[in-house]
Amino acid sequence: MEAEAALPFQSRHHDTLRLGLATLKEDVTVRHPVEVIQREHRQRALASQQQMLRDLYGVAAPAKAQIEAQILRKFTRLPGAASSSLLGLESLTGELDEFKYESYLGQPDVSTLPPVDLHSQMELKCGMLGAKHDRMARGML
C-alpha cells in the first residue's frame, strides 16, 4: 500500500500549451478497497467461467470467446464528448444486464468538465504528442 502512495516521477513528454500545467495528482490516488475487491471478483469470475467452458467444451470455446472479446474491444468512437459504449462487448460478457453507477453518473450532458478537443485527442491517439497515456489529454483534469 505504501508503494502505491509514493509520488511517481514524470517520465513522459507533456504538452503544456495544449494540456495546461503538468500534475501527478491523478497518478497518486489510492484506490478504494471495495474497488479493488470488485475488480478482483470480476477477474476470478472470468477465470472460473473460462475454466468451466474449457472443461465442458474443450480448449477451443474459451479461445473463441477471448478472440471475440478482443475484436469487440477494438471498435471505439472518435475521441470527444461521447465515450464508446462497447455495446457488443457488454452483451458478450453479460454486463449489459447489470445496472451500475456508471449507468446514471458521469453522463456527458451533466458534466462540469470542459469539452475535449478532438484534434489533440487524435494527435495523442496517433502518437504525435509523445505522451502515450496522459490523463489530462484524455479530459481527466
Side-chain angles (χ1 to χ4, degrees):
M1 196 59 114
E2 293 176 10
E4 291 179 9
L7 186 64
F9 293 104
Q10 184 174 5
S11 61
R12 56 185 179 259
H13 173 72
H14 179 77
D15 190 2
T16 308
L17 292 176
R18 290 185 186 182
L19 307 175
L21 296 174
T23 179
L24 299 174
K25 182 179 179 183
E26 296 88 17
D27 296 336
V28 179
T29 57
V30 179
R31 296 191 180 271
H32 194 275
V34 175
E35 183 180 355
V36 174
I37 291 170
Q38 287 177 340
R39 186 177 26 140
E40 289 175 357
H41 174 70
R42 270 186 258 132
Q43 291 172 351
R44 282 191 303 254
L46 180 64
S48 66
Q49 182 184 14
Q50 288 179 350
Q51 183 63 37
M52 181 190 64
L53 285 174
R54 189 176 297 116
D55 292 344
L56 289 175
Y57 301 111
V59 180
K64 179 185 173 207
Q66 287 177 351
I67 291 171
E68 289 174 351
Q70 287 176 1
I71 291 171
L72 291 172
R73 270 190 207 104
K74 289 182 182 179
F75 295 107
T76 59
R77 293 183 182 158
L78 285 175
S83 62
S84 295
S85 64
L86 300 174
L87 185 64
L89 183 62
E90 287 181 1
S91 66
L92 180 70
T93 59
E95 293 178 8
L96 192 59
D97 299 330
E98 298 175 7
F99 188 74
K100 299 183 256 182
Y101 67 90
E102 294 97 357
S103 301
Y104 61 92
L105 291 179
Q107 298 296 323
D109 55 341
V110 294
S111 177
T112 59
L113 296 174
V116 180
D117 181 31
L118 177 65
H119 296 287
S120 297
Q121 291 295 311
M122 287 306 296
E123 287 177 3
L124 182 70
K125 190 173 185 177
C126 295
M128 297 170 71
L129 285 179
K132 204 168 191 181
H133 300 290
D134 195 329
R135 289 184 176 184
M136 286 183 68
R138 288 184 275 165
M140 298 180 190
L141 299 174

